[in-house]
């Protein structure tokens, strides 16, 4: 067994250890502590230095790692700013971008940012799971004896539903399609050019892109409906704590424009102490004793699963998806 392969396995072992700790903390404490990320970073640096002294890694390889990590930091900051994931998960992704050997992306190597394949795998795998959950939930509600949906499809209720949907359709439809288009484009276009599709006929490429957009819009609607219906739970206002995330229903049904402006940006990390105080004071003044918040769903397991998929496929899962369209 050559030295390069040995160091590959050592980095995989380090990733496994970091993964176990990260999952445990994300589930138990609902966040990943910075010290755990720092521990993994220091251990990775030690392995890189040792590998360099033994002639396994070159300065050119270190340069590629540097650019990969630098771009990863820019991308995850953008994702964090857009509330796609909390800061702890973003830092964990950067750490794995640093630790995962570059030959793990050999089938979909994206110049400057090879960890793009890892990013794609994380979100695509998590999203596929959400889709299955959403479809199962929808079918269970439709055919599992819940008559509310059937009632909505009859007589005056159907007419009222249509009128209500028509009022909301323009704004919501545009927002959903735009979000779908941006997400699909971000993940799909680089996969086309760097995933073995560079020689694809332009008409075939347009067809696949358009088909993906339509499918994506429908899937986004189903998943959003599933999240809205299943990921909220009720608490007493006085039980609202730092780190909790507000339900969209709470914001839409109770909050004033002035409170929304005062709260500022609501991060995926949850409320800070100042925001908790503002919300509690407002709800008490309005005479509301209960409110809805979102369940905490650990995302660290999906990051680890994305790493496993990347190692097994040596690239992006988008290649398999595009080949099936």
């Amino acid at each position: 067994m050559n030295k390069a392969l040995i160091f590959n396995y050592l980095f995989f072992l380090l990733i496994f250890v970091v993964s176990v700790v990260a999952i445990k903390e994300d589930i138990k404490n609902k966040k990943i502590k910075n010290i755990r990320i720092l521990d993994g970073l220091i251990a990775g640096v030690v392995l890189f230095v040792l590998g360099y002294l033994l002639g396994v890694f070159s300065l050119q390889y270190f340069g590629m790692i540097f650019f990969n990590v630098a771009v990863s930091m820019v991308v995850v900051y953008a994702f964090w700013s857009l509330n796609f994931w909390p800061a702890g998960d973003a830092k964990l992704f950067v750490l794995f971008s640093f630790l995962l050997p570059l030959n793990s992306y050999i089938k979909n190597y994206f110049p400057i940012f090879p960890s793009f394949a890892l990013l794609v795998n994380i979100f695509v795998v998590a999203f596929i799971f959400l889709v299955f959950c959403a479809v199962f939930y929808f079918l269970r509600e439709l055919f599992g004896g819940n008559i509310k949906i059937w009632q909505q499809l009859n007589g005056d209720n159907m007419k009222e539903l249509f009128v209500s949907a028509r009022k909301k359709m323009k704004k919501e439809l545009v927002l959903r399609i735009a979000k779908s288009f941006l997400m699909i484009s971000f993940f799909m276009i680089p996969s086309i050019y760097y995933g073995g599709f560079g020689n694809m006929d332009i008409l075939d490429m347009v067809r696949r892109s358009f088909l993906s957009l339509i499918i994506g819009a429908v899937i986004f609607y189903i998943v959003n409906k599933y999240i809205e219906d299943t990921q909220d739970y009720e608490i007493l206002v006085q039980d609202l704590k730092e780190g909790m995330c507000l339900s969209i229903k709470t914001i839409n049904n109770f909050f004033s424009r002035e409170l929304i402006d005062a709260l500022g940006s609501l991060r995926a990390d949850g409320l800070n102490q100042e925001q908790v105080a503002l919300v509690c004071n407002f709800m008490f003044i309005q005479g509301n004793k209960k409110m809805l918040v979102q369940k905490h769903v650990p995302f660290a397991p999906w990051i680890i699963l994305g790493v496993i998929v990347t190692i097994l496929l040596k690239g992006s899962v988008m290649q398999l998806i595009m080949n099936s369209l």
Side-chain angles (χ1 to χ4, degrees):
M1 184 179 296
N2 60 45
K3 290 186 289 186
L5 189 58
I6 292 175
F7 271 87
N8 265 14
Y9 288 143
L10 288 175
F11 274 106
F12 290 157
L13 178 61
L14 177 57
I15 289 173
F16 173 77
V17 173
V18 171
S19 299
V20 171
V21 175
I23 291 175
K24 180 181 177 181
E25 289 210 339
D26 199 12
I27 294 175
K28 182 179 179 180
N29 303 322
K30 299 182 180 180
K31 64 179 181 179
I32 302 171
K33 296 179 181 178
N34 289 333
I35 188 64
R36 306 306 178 199
I37 303 296
L38 183 60
D39 289 342
L41 179 64
I42 293 174
V45 169
V46 171
L47 282 180
F48 274 124
V49 171
L50 182 60
Y52 177 74
L53 295 176
L54 293 176
V56 176
F57 303 121
S58 64
L59 292 178
Q60 181 182 6
Y61 186 85
F62 287 152
M64 296 164 68
I65 292 289
F66 172 80
F67 281 111
N68 183 41
V69 172
V71 177
S72 296
M73 293 175 67
V74 173
V75 171
V76 299
Y77 179 79
F79 273 48
W80 174 78
S81 299
L82 294 171
N83 293 322
F84 283 155
W85 55 8
D89 294 328
K91 295 172 187 174
L92 184 62
F93 170 77
V94 173
L95 177 61
F96 285 152
S97 296
F98 175 66
L99 296 178
L100 194 59
L102 294 182
N103 57 12
S104 301
Y105 312 107
I106 193 169
K107 290 186 178 179
N108 295 102
Y109 195 86
F110 191 69
I112 306 297
F113 184 32
S115 289
F116 175 79
L118 172 59
L119 184 66
V120 169
N121 291 340
I122 291 169
F123 278 93
V124 170
V125 171
F127 191 69
I128 289 174
F129 175 79
L130 268 179
V131 169
F132 277 107
C133 290
V135 170
F136 176 78
Y137 170 79
F138 178 78
L139 293 176
R140 186 186 64 184
E141 292 293 298
L142 194 59
F143 301 108
N146 189 334
I147 64 172
K148 289 189 296 183
I149 292 181
W150 293 110
Q151 289 175 340
Q152 291 178 344
L153 299 178
N154 293 306
D156 294 335
N157 289 325
M158 185 63 185
K159 181 179 179 181
E160 182 180 347
L161 183 66
F162 176 76
V163 172
S164 175
R166 187 174 60 182
K167 292 179 180 179
K168 300 179 181 179
M169 184 176 296
K170 290 184 179 180
K171 182 179 179 180
E172 290 191 2
L173 189 60
V174 169
L175 289 176
R176 289 182 190 275
I177 290 178
K179 184 177 181 180
S180 174
F181 177 79
L182 289 174
M183 290 294 290
I184 291 172
S185 298
F186 178 82
F187 289 130
M188 186 178 65
I189 292 176
S191 299
I192 289 175
Y193 287 101
Y194 296 98
F197 301 100
N199 297 322
M200 183 187 298
D201 178 75
I202 186 65
L203 292 178
D204 191 30
M205 186 183 300
V206 171
R207 180 188 66 82
R208 294 187 187 208
S209 301
F210 181 75
L211 181 61
S212 299
L213 177 60
I214 298 300
I215 295 174
V218 174
I219 290 176
F220 261 86
Y221 176 80
I222 295 174
V223 169
N224 285 339
K225 179 64 176 174
Y226 166 74
I227 292 174
E228 290 172 3
D229 288 354
T230 64
Q231 299 304 303
D232 295 341
Y233 67 99
E234 190 176 67
I235 64 168
L236 296 173
V237 172
Q238 61 263 32
D239 291 334
L240 184 66
K241 294 180 176 62
E242 183 180 3
M244 288 184 172
C245 293
L246 297 171
S247 166
I248 296 297
K249 295 176 183 177
T250 296
I251 297 173
N252 291 339
N253 295 335
F254 297 104
F255 288 8
S256 65
R257 172 51 57 186
E258 290 76 14
L259 176 61
I260 294 175
D261 292 338
L263 288 173
S265 179
L266 297 175
R267 298 293 182 191
D269 306 89
L271 300 172
N272 58 38
Q273 290 183 349
E274 182 181 352
Q275 290 172 328
V276 169
L278 286 171
V279 171
C280 289
N281 290 338
F282 178 83
M283 296 294 281
F284 285 138
I285 291 174
Q286 297 297 317
N288 298 309
K289 298 181 179 180
K290 297 180 179 180
M291 61 188 300
L292 293 174
V293 295
Q294 294 180 351
K295 297 178 183 177
H296 172 72
V297 180
F299 197 71
W302 295 111
I303 299 178
I304 281 81
L305 187 57
V307 172
I308 295 172
V309 170
T310 304
I311 294 173
L312 293 177
L313 297 181
K314 292 191 176 299
S316 169
V317 71
M318 280 299 293
Q319 184 171 1
L320 298 178
I321 296 175
M322 291 297 296
N323 280 331
S324 65
L325 293 177

